Amino acid sequence: MKFKRLDRVDYQVSIITIIIVCASFFCVYIFNYKITHDDMIYSLKERSNTIYHYVENYLDKDTFNHNFSLDMKNDTYKQIKQKLEDVKNATNVLYLYTAKMTDEGEYIYLVDGLPTASPDFRYPGDKIEKEIIPELKAALKNKIILPDQIKETTWGPIFVSYYPIHDEGKVVGVLGIEFDASHQFEAFKQIRIITPLIAIMASLIATIIAVLSFRRISNPRFKDMANTDYLTNLHNRNAFEIDFENLSTHKHNTGIIITDLNDLKKINDTYGHRTGDEYIKKVAKILEKHVQKNTVYRFGGDEFIIFMEHLQGTSILQKKAEQVIHELEKIQTVNNGTENSPTIHLSCSVGAAVYPLHGKSFKELYHNADLALYQAKKNGKNQYHAYDTSSTTETFLRTTAQPVSYIGGKIDSDEPDGLLDRLAEHCFRILYQAHDVETAVQSILEMVGKKFNVSRAYIFENSEDGTHCCNTFEWCNEGISPQIENLQSISYEEDLNNRYLDNFNEDGIFYCRDICSLEEEPYAILAPQGIKSLLQSAIYDNGVFQGFVGFDDCSINRFWTQDQVDALAFISEILSVFLLKHRAQQKAMQAQESLCTMLDNQNSWIYLVDPKSFELLYINRGLSSIFPNACIGKRCYESFFQQGYPCADCPVQRLSETQNSLVLEISQPLLNSWLLADASLIPWRNEPAALVCCCDITKYKK
């Protein structure tokens, strides 16, 4: 009778859960060793790869030149050694060094990341031990040596990897990385005992949770998480695109309003992302409250979209936009309440467009609304702008458009004086003022493409090793099929016979009036795209070919005037400069993110501070778990110990230009522990910073 009181579905879920968990127990126990071992090795490989990619960017490749004199008094040696020491200390690497093969065929050490006083320190020119020479030989042949096993030695388990060091694509040396793998190895052994116990407990707990979860999941609130923004509970971008696809069935006007919050990045940088998130949630509540029957979407980090149906005219959009601006103005300022805390005035910018008047597809409508938003930002904060043909870019296009050249007809040689110069100037101004370089590049391709009435305007960028190129930007004229998806990872050697660069003249211009005159390999790629003629301008970075900007004509064998070629070459050069700078910034940010990820995965407590103001610049995950209230921008002694002055034994205070690193043992009464603090001065975002790494040594002191 008691079983009959149970909900039938709950009862079935319980039985199924027991069967699945019990079966999973046996599978887990059988395959546990392999899975755990593979994960352990993968983790060590990832740590090695992260350190390698970070270190290689900072190595002076001239040190591997056989004619380069490297001694311990050399400034280059000192800089590289300090960098290796910093990385070694930050990542708990056992050994970190560079090596090479001499002209005589000997394998020698170059720079050792160990302290000079260490008994295992290797001087420049010391010979490599015979047992590791085979791995070095393989690395010098451009092979990455990552073992699949932890090596057990007389001094304990270790993980050793070797990486080739490149200079302009050529292997010039080797980076050796050696980890102490004792922790991972012992953890692997303990799992064989713990796993059965966990599996048994999981069988009992999972049965209980399954019944409770079934009821929770069946709640309608959880059925639409794919279309819901986690932070604000508004509809997300996915929901917007789904809803917008239904526009094709609409017989009435529909409008979108893009609201972009100003200074959100400044809020995040000054007060932390938690404060920024609170601001976003406040904005979401205001929008949701005042848009009434209209739908609000959180489209991105600081971008919201209001979807309005049954519009009678753009005046309704303007009224709603003004209402949004007015309501958001009520959130006056952001200030954390402290005496010296800066006050940030909050504002927004609003752009709008109407379907189908301003676009017959999602991509086109959103693009035009985004152009309107860009114009609103140019007009100042708390501004509204609706898309129309008088927008800056569109006006320029309308006033400068000329008919295309054609066989037997007029060619574009009669350009008004200075028109092409103004076009180039306008492109430069757009890029210089752009907050989003990639959006600006796309807009310029469209503008130039329409100006010259080409079929396609595009950019190809080379891979890091220069062996491949990818189509990264594309604009297509009306009736022209996009090709960007088909033009990824084009090999210069396999697809273009390694002679494509020969098509560009000394000025970096490749002009082909009839692609039938090209070699077989490029013709095979260009012809299926419907191209009849093309004009391409090379992208160079310090004299190295990095890709090209191109313009295709799919209708005629086009004749370009010299003025037009010069103008497009100049515009391409402008695009190249800004795009290369943008890529360099992206690469730098990725390197910084990689470093942060690497530091987050360390067991030590690691943080970065401004050595002058003691303001926190970075806190790793381990330290954040100890001090959850600590945040970037606050002083370290305030965040960690709630005091108004630096600690008496603060290691940062002892750092100077003459002593840029030190190690201290510190007694910390608040934590009832002893800490080993390793502090050093490093560059951070082009500014000096103090890196502090703390390890708990209490058990050793006792």
Side-chain angles (χ1 to χ4, degrees):
M1 294 298 295
K2 292 183 178 179
F3 285 107
K4 293 182 179 179
R5 297 191 188 117
L6 294 174
D7 183 88
R8 181 177 177 84
V9 177
D10 291 349
Y11 179 72
Q12 292 177 350
V13 169
S14 301
I15 297 297
I16 293 172
T17 302
I18 293 173
I19 295 172
I20 293 175
V21 173
C22 289
S24 300
F25 163 74
F26 290 103
C27 294
V28 169
Y29 193 77
I30 292 172
F31 296 104
N32 180 65
Y33 282 110
K34 177 173 173 50
I35 295 172
T36 305
H37 178 269
D38 291 347
D39 184 70
M40 175 181 63
I41 298 299
Y42 176 80
S43 176
L44 291 169
K45 287 181 178 181
E46 285 297 296
R47 288 180 64 189
S48 295
N49 287 331
T50 302
I51 293 172
Y52 164 61
H53 290 302
Y54 177 76
V55 170
E56 190 184 30
N57 293 330
Y58 288 91
L59 288 177
D60 189 341
K61 307 306 190 303
D62 288 338
T63 60
F64 297 90
N65 192 316
H66 292 183
N67 298 322
F68 190 89
S69 178
L70 186 65
D71 59 66
M72 298 180 67
K73 298 181 180 180
N74 190 295
D75 290 337
T76 302
Y77 174 87
K78 293 179 179 179
Q79 292 173 1
I80 297 177
K81 177 170 174 52
Q82 186 61 54
K83 177 59 67 175
L84 293 183
E85 285 192 32
D86 291 342
V87 175
K88 176 187 174 298
N89 294 332
T91 58
N92 290 330
V93 172
L94 193 61
Y95 299 109
L96 183 65
Y97 59 89
T98 61
K100 74 174 186 180
M101 184 180 71
T102 66
D103 291 335
E104 292 76 23
E106 293 183 338
Y107 298 89
I108 62 170
Y109 290 96
L110 289 180
V111 185
D112 192 348
L114 286 173
T116 309
S118 173
D120 294 328
F121 177 77
R122 297 295 187 268
Y123 293 87
D126 284 356
K127 293 183 179 180
I128 300 290
E129 293 78 3
K130 292 182 179 180
E131 58 266 27
I132 66 173
I133 287 179
E135 285 82 4
L136 290 180
K137 287 182 178 179
L140 288 170
K141 294 180 180 180
N142 204 27
K143 294 182 180 180
I144 296 176
I145 309 302
L146 285 169
D148 294 323
Q149 300 286 337
I150 289 177
K151 187 177 182 181
E152 292 189 76
T153 66
T154 55
W155 58 89
I158 59 173
F159 184 86
V160 187
S161 56
Y162 302 91
Y163 293 86
I165 302 297
H166 301 89
D167 185 13
E168 296 183 351
K170 181 182 177 181
V171 178
V172 294
V174 177
L175 176 69
I177 306 172
E178 184 172 326
F179 289 99
D180 181 357
S182 302
H183 175 74
Q184 291 86 349
F185 195 75
E186 291 298 319
F188 172 67
K189 288 183 177 180
Q190 293 176 10
I191 286 177
R192 67 183 177 184
I193 301 173
I194 298 173
T195 298
L197 298 176
I198 294 177
I200 294 172
M201 293 179 61
S203 299
L204 299 174
I205 297 172
T207 304
I208 300 172
I209 294 177
V211 177
L212 299 176
S213 299
F214 177 81
R215 295 182 181 274
R216 184 174 178 86
I217 295 171
S218 62
N219 190 322
R221 180 169 172 254
F222 297 90
K223 292 183 177 181
D224 199 31
M225 295 302 292
N227 298 318
T228 303
D229 178 63
Y230 174 78
L231 181 64
T232 63
N233 286 325
L234 297 175
H235 294 294
N236 59 13
R237 177 169 182 160
N238 184 60
F240 176 78
E241 293 182 2
I242 293 173
D243 292 345
F244 202 89
E245 287 297 321
N246 298 325
L247 283 178
S248 59
T249 61
H250 291 187
K251 304 297 183 182
H252 48 265
N253 290 337
T254 303
I256 61 171
I257 297 175
I258 302 179
T259 302
D260 188 81
L261 308 180
N262 301 318
D263 298 321
L264 182 63
K265 184 179 184 300
K266 189 175 181 180
I267 294 172
N268 289 331
D269 293 343
T270 306
Y271 302 111
H273 287 272
R274 185 174 297 178
T275 303
D277 289 346
E278 290 299 319
Y279 175 46
I280 290 174
K281 287 192 281 188
K282 288 181 181 180
V283 172
K285 289 181 180 179
I286 291 174
L287 292 177
E288 194 172 29
K289 179 180 178 181
H290 291 280
V291 298
Q292 298 176 353
K293 298 181 180 181
N294 303 307
T295 307
V296 184
Y297 305 81
R298 187 187 179 204
F299 203 70
D302 59 355
E303 192 172 287
F304 297 83
I305 291 183
I306 301 174
F307 194 24
M308 301 183 66
E309 298 182 273
H310 308 287
L311 293 178
Q312 301 300 320
T314 56
S315 60
I316 299 177
L317 281 177
Q318 182 175 354
K319 184 178 179 181
K320 183 60 66 176
E322 291 173 348
Q323 182 185 8
V324 168
I325 293 173
H326 175 72
E327 294 297 332
L328 295 186
E329 279 183 321
K330 295 179 180 180
I331 309 176
Q332 293 293 331
T333 59
V334 172
N335 188 291
N336 67 358
T338 61
E339 183 177 350
N340 298 322
S341 175
T343 298
I344 301 175
H345 298 271
L346 307 176
S347 62
C348 67
S349 301
V350 181
V354 178
Y355 171 88
L357 179 64
H358 299 147
K360 297 182 180 179
S361 66
F362 162 72
K363 184 177 180 181
E364 185 180 1
L365 186 70
Y366 178 80
H367 172 73
N368 291 335
D370 195 54
L371 286 178
L373 175 65
Y374 180 76
Q375 186 62 42
K377 284 181 173 288
K378 288 180 62 178
N379 296 337
K381 296 182 177 181
N382 289 326
Q383 296 294 316
Y384 160 78
H385 190 81
Y387 178 82
D388 58 37
T389 54
S390 64
S391 299
T392 303
T393 301
E394 297 301 318
T395 299
F396 190 88
L397 291 173
R398 192 173 63 252
T399 58
T400 61
Q402 299 290 331
V404 67
S405 306
Y406 59 94
I407 298 175
K410 176 184 175 183
I411 63 172
D412 295 335
S413 59
D414 300 327
E415 303 284 358
D417 292 339
L419 179 61
L420 297 179
D421 292 337
R422 294 200 304 273
L423 175 63
E425 181 184 350
H426 187 68
C427 293
F428 178 83
R429 187 164 59 251
I430 291 175
L431 285 165
Y432 184 76
Q433 297 174 349
H435 298 289
D436 184 345
V437 172
E438 295 196 13
T439 301
V441 169
Q442 188 68 37
S443 299
I444 288 173
L445 289 179
E446 178 181 1
M447 181 181 68
V448 176
K450 289 181 178 179
K451 162 66 186 79
F452 291 100
N453 197 21
V454 298
S455 301
R456 294 190 194 90
Y458 50 85
I459 296 177
F460 277 75
E461 297 180 66
N462 283 4
S463 59
E464 289 192 7
D465 59 5
T467 60
H468 294 72
C469 63
C470 294
N471 190 180
T472 53
F473 296 88
E474 181 190 51
W475 170 83
C476 296
N477 214 331
E478 187 175 352
I480 301 299
S481 301
Q483 298 293 326
I484 189 169
E485 297 296 332
N486 305 324
L487 299 173
Q488 302 299 310
S489 192
I490 304 297
S491 171
Y492 283 113
E493 181 176 357
E494 297 177 4
D495 299 323
L496 297 171
N497 203 21
N498 220 18
R499 291 198 299 268
Y500 196 75
L501 187 57
D502 297 340
N503 294 308
F504 295 84
N505 63 20
E506 60 184 8
D507 297 321
I509 300 298
F510 172 26
Y511 170 40
C512 180
R513 191 174 183 186
D514 188 352
I515 69 166
C516 293
S517 62
L518 297 175
E519 294 183 345
E520 180 182 353
E521 289 81 3
Y523 179 82
I525 294 178
L526 299 172
Q529 303 176 48
I531 300 171
K532 292 191 174 183
S533 62
L534 58 83
L535 177 66
Q536 295 176 353
S537 178
I539 298 174
Y540 291 106
D541 185 14
N542 292 324
V544 180
F545 181 75
Q546 295 291 357
F548 51 89
V549 182
F551 308 89
D552 295 339
D553 200 310
C554 299
S555 58
I556 58 171
N557 294 329
R558 184 164 183 158
F559 174 77
W560 294 87
T561 67
Q562 189 60 49
D563 287 343
Q564 292 174 333
V565 173
D566 293 343
L568 289 173
F570 188 41
I571 293 170
S572 299
E573 187 174 353
I574 294 173
L575 286 169
S576 303
V577 170
F578 281 90
L579 189 58
L580 288 171
K581 180 182 178 182
H582 178 62
R583 298 302 187 210
Q585 291 173 340
Q586 286 181 320
K587 191 174 182 180
M589 291 181 63
Q590 290 172 356
Q592 183 174 309
E593 290 174 358
S594 296
L595 177 59
C596 291
T597 301
M598 180 174 61
L599 297 179
D600 274 339
N601 290 323
Q602 303 303 307
N603 295 324
S604 305
W605 305 339
I606 303 173
Y607 62 97
L608 278 165
V609 297
D610 186 319
K612 296 181 180 178
S613 66
F614 295 93
E615 291 182 353
L616 287 166
L617 305 175
Y618 165 79
I619 311 170
N620 84 330
R621 189 181 297 128
L623 189 57
S624 295
S625 65
I626 304 298
F627 301 101
N629 294 325
C631 62
I632 295 173
K634 292 184 66 176
R635 294 177 175 87
C636 55
Y637 49 81
E638 294 174 346
S639 291
F640 299 152
F641 308 116
Q642 291 77 51
Q643 58 187 34
Y645 49 86
C647 303
D649 49 4
C650 175
V652 177
Q653 287 187 307
R654 305 189 185 187
L655 295 174
S656 64
E657 293 182 359
T658 57
Q659 188 178 11
N660 56 15
S661 65
L662 55 86
V663 179
L664 293 175
E665 290 186 2
I666 301 173
S667 176
Q668 183 45 251
L670 183 63
L671 300 175
N672 193 26
S673 60
W674 277 87
L675 302 177
L676 182 66
D678 189 338
S680 58
L681 293 174
I682 66 168
W684 179 263
R685 297 177 178 174
N686 298 322
E687 296 291 337
L691 173 67
V692 184
C693 179
C694 298
C695 299
D696 190 348
I697 58 171
T698 307
K699 63 180 181 181
Y700 302 109
K701 299 295 289 187
K702 291 181 178 179

